[in-house]
């Protein structure tokens, strides 16, 4: 069921950017996990700002492409979680498994044809 339209998805995207930028401090991430999380927050901000939907500022990236990127990112984050886990960072592993699930769930319930 597609319950998020483009505007609501935009609000979620900006909240996710804020969450990512605050997460290293909130969860006590250090080193590579913190750096990766900050970088992911900045990349997500750039994607959101450049998306062609009501809350996008530059409106370059079609909303459907935004959705495809989010699906790929959700799947890639599972790999990131395993990578952090193999490096012995259980906190980052758990964080990225949960975050991958949240990104996938958001992708699943968003109507990418609504913009």
């Amino acid at each position: 069921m597609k319950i998020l339209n483009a505007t609501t998805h935009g609000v979620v995207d900006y909240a996710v950017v804020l969450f990512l930028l605050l997460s290293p401090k909130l969860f006590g991430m250090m080193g590579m996990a913190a750096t990766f999380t900050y970088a992911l927050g900045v990349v997500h901000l750039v994607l959101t700002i450049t998306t062609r939907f009501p809350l996008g500022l530059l409106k370059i990236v079609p909303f459907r492409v935004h959705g495809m990127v989010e699906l790929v990112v959700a799947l890639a984050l599972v790999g990131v979680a395993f990578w952090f886990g193999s490096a012995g960072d259980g906190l980052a592993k758990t964080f990225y498994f949960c975050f991958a699930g949240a990104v996938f769930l958001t992708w699943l319930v968003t109507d990418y044809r609504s913009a």
Side-chain angles (χ1 to χ4, degrees), residues 7-8 11 13 15 24 27 41 53 65 67 69 73 76 80 86 88-89 99 101-103 106 108 113-114:
T7 301
T8 307
V11 171
D13 274 350
F27 297 107
F53 69 158
V65 172
V69 169
V73 166
V80 169
S86 70
D89 191 340
F99 189 63
V103 172
T106 302
L108 197 63
R113 293 175 288 170
S114 65

Side-chain angles (χ1 to χ4, degrees), residues 62-114:
F63 192 40
R64 285 185 181 187
V65 172
H66 177 113
M68 287 186 273
V69 169
E70 287 185 335
L71 176 58
V72 169
V73 166
L75 298 173
L77 288 174
V78 173
V80 169
F82 279 113
W83 181 71
F84 279 124
S86 70
D89 191 340
L91 171 70
K93 179 181 179 181
T94 302
F95 177 87
Y96 277 102
F97 267 130
C98 293
F99 189 63
V103 172
F104 181 75
L105 181 62
T106 302
W107 174 82
L108 197 63
V109 300
T110 297
D111 181 3
Y112 289 99
R113 293 175 288 170
S114 65

Side-chain angles (χ1 to χ4, degrees), residues 23-70:
S23 287
K25 294 287 185 197
L26 290 173
F27 297 107
M29 292 180 192
M30 305 295 282
M32 183 59 81
T35 301
F36 186 83
T37 305
Y38 288 130
L40 186 60
V42 170
V43 168
H44 196 79
L45 178 61
V46 170
L47 178 63
T48 302
I49 287 171
T50 60
T51 297
R52 193 180 314 141
F53 69 158
L55 297 182
L57 301 177
L58 300 178
K59 302 187 188 305
I60 298 167
V61 178
F63 192 40
R64 285 185 181 187
V65 172
H66 177 113
M68 287 186 273
V69 169
E70 287 185 335

